[in-house]
Amino acid sequence: MPTSTTLWLRVGRVMQLTLEGVAGATLFAMMLLTTADVTGRYFFNSPILGTVELTQLMLAALVFLSLPVVCWREEHVSVDLLDSVFPARLIWIRQVLVNLIVTGALWIMARRIWALAERAMEWGDVTEFLRIPNGYLIYLISIMLAVSAVLTLLRAIGYLLEGVGVLARGGPLSPEKGKGGVHD
């Protein structure tokens, strides 16, 4: 029977691979669309209509499909301004606070963007050329922000549990390289 840590890692890995796979497929579709459009435009004088709109929609989807994985793995852009202030044994406190702040910001954005998606669906907002409803993409953005908020909250809880000794240091949330931590 797998331990709770092993199960936790498996669930995280499945989620990560799923989101990375969908984001990768979206990126590949963008590449194919751009290649076909450029080929049609320059060799056959017949571009694909709506390529710019489709590329914009896929780019937005790509960014927000990747966000939960970036948040879970803590691979977002960060500035090490506080590293010299916190002693190594108290880094977990900083990580808890930073993850809680990020959780709050992501949750506020998710709720606000959900309201924008509802409004877009009510008003029947569509893209300018292809008339694709905008609401669905806005809902996706909101959902990915909410998922990211939940994952950063789980990160904060994990750091807290490691810091107070409930979880062993060097566990799945440990920043140590090579031990299945956040920087692998």
Side-chain angles (χ1 to χ4, degrees), residues 28-51:
F28 187 70
M30 284 174 53
M31 180 195 68
L32 289 178
L33 179 63
T34 302
T35 301
D37 182 53
V38 169
T39 301
R41 179 181 316 267
Y42 289 107
F43 292 112
F44 304 109
N45 200 24
S46 180
I48 298 173
L49 298 177
T51 300

Side-chain angles (χ1 to χ4, degrees), residues 127-144:
T127 60
E128 187 175 341
F129 187 73
L130 295 176
R131 316 292 299 160
I132 298 170
N134 288 325
Y136 298 117
L137 177 64
I138 300 170
Y139 276 128
L140 174 71
I141 291 169
S142 178
I143 291 166
M144 291 299 105

Side-chain angles (χ1 to χ4, degrees), residues 82-155:
L82 301 177
D83 281 357
S84 62
V85 177
F86 281 88
R89 70 187 194 298
L90 297 179
I91 287 177
W92 66 273
I93 293 172
R94 180 194 68 201
Q95 291 304 107
V96 169
L97 292 174
V98 166
N99 278 284
L100 288 175
I101 291 168
V102 171
T103 297
L106 288 168
W107 188 253
I108 290 168
M109 287 187 288
R111 291 187 59 200
R112 182 66 189 126
I113 290 174
W114 185 269
L116 292 174
E118 287 177 337
R119 187 176 71 188
M121 293 302 274
E122 272 180 34
W123 291 1
D125 285 351
V126 293
T127 60
E128 187 175 341
F129 187 73
L130 295 176
R131 316 292 299 160
I132 298 170
N134 288 325
Y136 298 117
L137 177 64
I138 300 170
Y139 276 128
L140 174 71
I141 291 169
S142 178
I143 291 166
M144 291 299 105
L145 284 167
V147 168
S148 298
V150 169
L151 293 175
T152 55
L153 178 61
L154 290 174
R155 275 280 176 207

Side-chain angles (χ1 to χ4, degrees), residues 14-24 65-66 68-69 144 147 151:
V14 167
M15 184 245 357
Q16 177 183 334
L17 290 175
T18 301
L19 289 172
E20 286 176 346
V22 173
L65 285 167
S66 301
V69 175
M144 291 299 105
V147 168
L151 293 175

